[in-house]
Amino acid sequence: MPNDLPVAQGAPPAGGLKPLSERILPPEFYDSFITKRSKERIEDPIRSRLQLEDRPGTISMLAGKPNPETYPMTSLQFTLRDPVTNQEVPIALTEIELERSLQYSGSKGIPEFLEWLVGLQEFSHGRKPGEGWDLSFGAGSSDLIHKAILALLEEGDSAIIESPVYAGVFPVLHEAKCDLIELSGDENGIDTVALRKTLENWPKNKRKPKLLYTIPFGCNPTGVTSTIERRLEVLGLAREHNFLIFEDDPYYYLYFGSAPRPPSYFALEVDQPEVGRVVRLDSLSKVLSAGMRIGFLSAPQVISDAVLLHTMGSNLQPPTFTQVISWKLLSTWGYAAYQQHVYRVADFYRTKRDEFARLMDKHLTGLAEWTIPEAGMFFWFKLLLDGGDEGDSEALIRKEALEGGILALPGTVFLPSGGKTAYVRASFSLLPETMVDEGLRRLRVVLLKARGEA
Ligand SMILES: Cc1ncc(COP(=O)(O)O)c(C=O)c1O
């Protein structure tokens, strides 16, 4: 079973820290972080009045809400596998819940679901409401990443990005037109020595990076989970050099390492001299459903508000339908059962990882090098091609491997500025053992051919 979810919390602040309430960064602190475009966003005059409908005794003629009597869906039931007993439990939405789920709702998320998620942050990260952060729900974490990046980065700004890194974040960074400083790492996480050097040698006439984007658990694509020591160093550097930590953490619940689970940045920052430098992105895509699009942002109030304003002016709100279903599901379970569920999910992927590792040994020993991931769903391996580290997997994976019947991603797609790399990313989440066996055998054939050894 993976390490306990709730992290060690509540230890008295080390080194005579002030009480937490005095360490929370004030709203003005973010003035120089929020982009011009974000500051200029205006409120949607209809959406911003929606909560007035809840005033007792109010007769609302406000919004263009459709009449649910016209909707064809009349009931909704589903079954839920109980994580503790493994029994299939029938769940039905009440008439009111169904009606609610089919109607517009607030841009931030429906209150009962937000409340459940705030409770989850306390359960998993020891962060309590009222500590200077707020939570917003989005259509997957991608939705919130996009909006938070545009709230914080614009032309002329700099950002540090772990590299190689999740390629899905490149389009919005490109849209933000910011300068990216790529930071490599090792099996312990970000290279903090290089980070310090970069920051200490930063040109005097240029603003230091506003943020550092990192995927601290089971990084996509490298599979690396950052150690607690590295995380603490990054937090220290953030304070010293005044940047925010953008913690994109969809693999948090997919940790199956043998070492104790490191706390998140969000958890660790409460014991720092300043609190409010972490923008945390959570996703339930990997543990509940990717199709329901459940992501949430836990960030300083000012940043959360900026994201909310973006939502109001773009997609109005995340879907009420999936919020009601997710809330029903999660509140039926409660936190303890949710914890059991994510343990099971992590165990499942640990088994998949072990299968994949065994088959990597069988087929690719001597042809590739890799480290074993301890979270997430990816193997990141270096092909031993001519040219060693300078080798390039791109053409081989794009053409020869595909022709040989195997599809994976060449490492170059995860480099923010492109370039050659001998690395390849393979996902181990979905395939049954027999197909992994066959896929890696095919890759072996392709590699042997490329090396002239077939
Ligand atoms: C690092 C990282 N961030 C964000 C996402 C997007 O997740 P979501 O489904 O919540 O939008 C992914 C999906 O694979 C990911 O790997």
Side-chain angles (χ1 to χ4, degrees):
M1 181 168 276
N3 301 291
D4 280 351
L5 259 188
V7 292
Q9 290 295 317
L17 287 177
K18 290 185 196 158
L20 179 58
S21 59
E22 291 172 33
R23 286 181 284 126
I24 296 170
L25 291 163
E28 318 80 78
F29 169 78
Y30 303 95
D31 263 2
S32 68
F33 283 89
I34 301 289
T35 58
K36 184 166 176 287
R37 180 191 279 163
S38 180
K39 283 181 183 159
E40 287 173 356
R41 277 188 210 288
I42 56 164
E43 271 191 349
D44 170 338
I46 306 169
R47 299 242 111 212
S48 57
R49 284 178 171 83
L50 267 185
Q51 75 275 17
L52 297 177
E53 292 188 328
D54 298 335
R55 279 163 71 108
T58 304
I59 296 172
S60 176
M61 301 178 186
L62 182 73
K65 289 185 178 173
N67 194 314
E69 279 179 35
T70 63
Y71 289 156
M73 202 185 282
T74 54
S75 71
L76 186 72
Q77 290 95 31
F78 56 96
T79 50
L80 191 57
R81 194 182 313 115
D82 187 286
V84 181
T85 62
N86 217 20
Q87 301 281 313
E88 305 254 327
V89 182
I91 305 283
L93 294 195
T94 64
E95 211 176 301
I96 291 172
E97 286 164 353
L98 179 63
E99 193 173 299
R100 183 110 194 277
S101 75
L102 299 173
Q103 190 53 278
Y104 288 119
S105 58
S107 293
K108 193 173 167 182
I110 58 169
E112 56 273 53
F113 190 34
L114 288 172
E115 199 182 308
W116 200 92
L117 294 173
V118 167
L120 181 66
Q121 297 307 62
E122 184 168 358
F123 182 78
S124 295
H125 305 280
R127 291 298 303 266
K128 296 185 181 60
E131 289 179 353
W133 63 282
D134 198 12
L135 190 138
S136 265
F137 180 81
S141 61
S142 307
D143 178 32
L144 298 159
I145 291 170
H146 187 95
K147 291 166 181 166
I149 292 278
L150 293 181
L152 293 168
L153 293 174
E154 61 196 333
E155 196 160 4
D157 288 340
S158 307
I160 301 169
I161 184 160
E162 206 173 352
S163 174
V165 77
Y166 173 53
V169 79
F170 296 164
V172 67
L173 290 169
H174 181 77
E175 187 180 340
K177 297 196 175 103
C178 58
D179 297 334
L180 289 181
I181 294 95
E182 296 177 34
L183 188 69
S184 60
D186 58 21
E187 68 282 5
N188 294 319
I190 288 168
D191 181 346
T192 39
V193 174
L195 177 58
R196 177 177 289 283
K197 211 163 142 194
T198 302
L199 294 164
E200 285 178 353
N201 294 319
W202 196 258
K204 293 268 176 298
N205 57 354
K206 193 169 158 75
R207 178 178 172 160
K208 283 193 179 167
K210 273 183 165 176
L211 62 85
L212 177 145
Y213 173 92
T214 182
I215 306 166
F217 278 92
C219 177
N220 179 359
T222 61
V224 169
T225 294
S226 178
T227 59
I228 183 167
E229 291 78 15
R230 290 283 170 91
R231 291 173 196 238
L232 289 170
E233 283 176 68
V234 171
L235 278 162
L237 286 167
R239 178 160 175 255
E240 224 176 290
H241 296 276
N242 196 25
F243 61 86
L244 305 177
I245 299 168
F246 203 97
E247 177 176 48
D248 182 11
D249 209 1
Y251 303 103
Y252 177 76
Y253 293 109
L254 264 59
Y255 179 69
F256 37 75
S258 43
R261 163 193 285 280
S264 65
Y265 281 106
F266 188 51
L268 285 170
E269 79 157 344
V270 253
D271 291 335
Q272 294 293 307
E274 286 173 349
V275 179
R277 289 194 180 270
V278 178
V279 176
R280 178 172 171 83
L281 279 309
D282 273 282
S283 170
L284 298 188
S285 286
K286 316 293 177 179
V287 289
L288 274 199
S289 151
M292 287 214 284
R293 312 303 297 131
I294 313 163
F296 47 105
L297 167 101
S298 309
Q301 187 72 53
V302 175
I303 298 172
S304 178
D305 288 349
V307 167
L308 184 61
L309 214 52
H310 192 159
T311 297
M312 275 190 191
S314 55
N315 54 326
L316 296 186
Q317 58 157 101
T320 321
F321 192 65
T322 49
Q323 288 186 72
V324 170
I325 294 175
S326 316
W327 166 77
K328 188 83 182 173
L329 183 163
L330 291 165
S331 59
T332 300
W333 277 354
Y335 300 115
Y338 172 77
Q339 185 181 29
Q340 285 305 313
H341 170 71
V342 294
Y343 280 167
R344 277 186 172 206
V345 175
D347 264 348
F348 174 90
Y349 286 113
R350 189 213 317 257
T351 307
K352 286 259 168 231
R353 186 272 318 259
D354 290 346
E355 272 169 22
F356 204 93
R358 188 178 60 72
L359 293 165
M360 287 285 283
D361 279 341
K362 175 176 167 188
H363 295 293
L364 298 187
T365 299
L367 300 174
E369 285 173 352
W370 59 90
T371 47
I372 307 279
E374 301 216 309
M377 37 179 71
F378 306 108
F379 257 79
W380 179 242
F381 52 97
K382 186 167 95 180
L383 303 184
L384 300 177
L385 300 164
D386 286 348
D389 278 351
E390 305 309 312
D392 189 7
S393 64
E394 210 276 325
L396 190 99
I397 294 298
R398 181 172 41 80
K399 192 164 178 291
E400 279 91 341
L402 193 58
E403 280 165 10
I406 168 88
L407 184 59
L409 273 170
T412 184
V413 308
F414 300 100
L415 301 179
S417 49
K420 288 183 182 175
T421 171
Y423 278 87
V424 176
R425 190 195 80 172
S427 167
F428 60 81
S429 54
L430 221 47
L431 294 178
E433 196 170 357
T434 48
M435 286 176 84
V436 176
D437 197 13
E438 175 57 14
L440 293 178
R441 188 197 64 76
R442 290 180 188 178
L443 186 57
R444 175 185 177 80
V445 172
V446 171
L447 280 171
L448 288 174
K449 220 185 262 176
R451 290 161 53 116
E453 295 169 19

